[in-house]
Amino acid sequence: ILEAGKTPVLVTHFDHIGEISEESERNIRRLRQVGVQFLNQAVLLARVNDDPAILAATFEKCHAIGARPYYLFQARPVMGASHFQVPFDRGVRIVRGVNARLSGIQKTFKFVMSHDTGKIEILDAVDGRLYLLYHQSTDPERVGRLFSRRLVDGAGWLDDLPED
């Protein structure tokens, strides 16, 4: 693959620093030596990693071993796991706290949700509104579009927010 001019990229999934084992670290470092690049995606999970210090430590460790934090996903409201979902307003505050703890070069992740309408970045919550940006969508008109929704207490998914 490398001889063909292609760079292999593997995506790891470490939600918490406690999941990064010595074996994982050793294997990531070994594969990086032969040109494999790594990205990490994590899910924001209530009562697991919903603390800025924990997430920052996780992302710092990922950077240290060469797995660049890529996405922090808003948990989907799926049956049997919706209790892990963090409300948007709290999630935004957590992300702010994570970024306050990371160096500039470590701030490589985007806070996103994979909604039925596309991959949406959660940018900020200001004055009772949640600001979002479409990164990907099956509808090309949405890609790159900034939009906002009125923030509702406890809301953790786009469908929970009114389109006013």
Side-chain angles (χ1 to χ4, degrees):
I1 293 175
L2 294 173
E3 292 81 23
K6 306 224 184 238
T7 302
V9 178
L10 294 177
V11 180
T12 58
H13 189 112
F14 298 118
D15 293 324
H16 190 284
I17 190 169
E19 296 177 317
I20 305 172
S21 67
E22 288 180 19
E23 181 181 9
S24 296
E25 183 176 345
R26 190 171 44 254
N27 287 325
I28 289 169
R29 288 183 190 277
R30 186 173 49 83
L31 288 168
R32 288 194 68 234
Q33 288 177 347
V34 296
V36 178
Q37 292 183 12
F38 285 84
L39 301 173
N40 185 69
Q41 59 186 26
V43 179
L44 180 60
L45 299 166
R47 295 174 299 283
V48 174
N49 65 2
D50 59 337
D51 178 293
I54 290 171
L55 275 176
T58 303
F59 293 165
E60 286 172 338
K61 179 69 172 184
C62 285
H63 268 281
I65 65 174
R68 183 170 57 91
Y70 182 48
Y71 285 135
L72 175 62
F73 283 97
Q74 176 70 5
R76 288 178 172 269
V78 296
M79 190 181 324
S82 59
H83 60 284
F84 286 115
Q85 197 174 53
V86 175
F88 284 126
D89 59 340
R90 186 157 178 264
V92 166
R93 286 193 311 272
I94 290 167
V95 168
R96 284 182 193 147
V98 171
N99 280 321
R101 288 167 170 79
L102 297 176
S103 71
I105 200 163
Q106 293 173 326
K107 296 175 188 180
T108 58
F109 72 96
K110 294 190 180 299
F111 183 30
V112 300
M113 73 176 109
S114 287
H115 189 262
D116 293 341
T117 61
K119 176 89 40 89
I120 302 169
E121 184 175 2
I122 303 159
L123 298 171
D124 205 355
V126 179
D127 296 330
R129 296 200 68 81
L130 187 68
Y131 291 87
L132 308 122
L133 176 73
Y134 273 101
H135 280 278
Q136 299 170 351
S137 179
T138 54
D139 178 357
E141 296 292 315
R142 286 189 173 133
V143 177
R145 189 181 68 140
L146 177 68
F147 67 106
S148 71
R149 297 273 176 95
R150 185 169 46 85
L151 199 52
V152 175
D153 282 344
W157 200 245
L158 185 65
D159 301 345
D160 299 335
L161 304 174
E163 290 190 41
D164 64 343

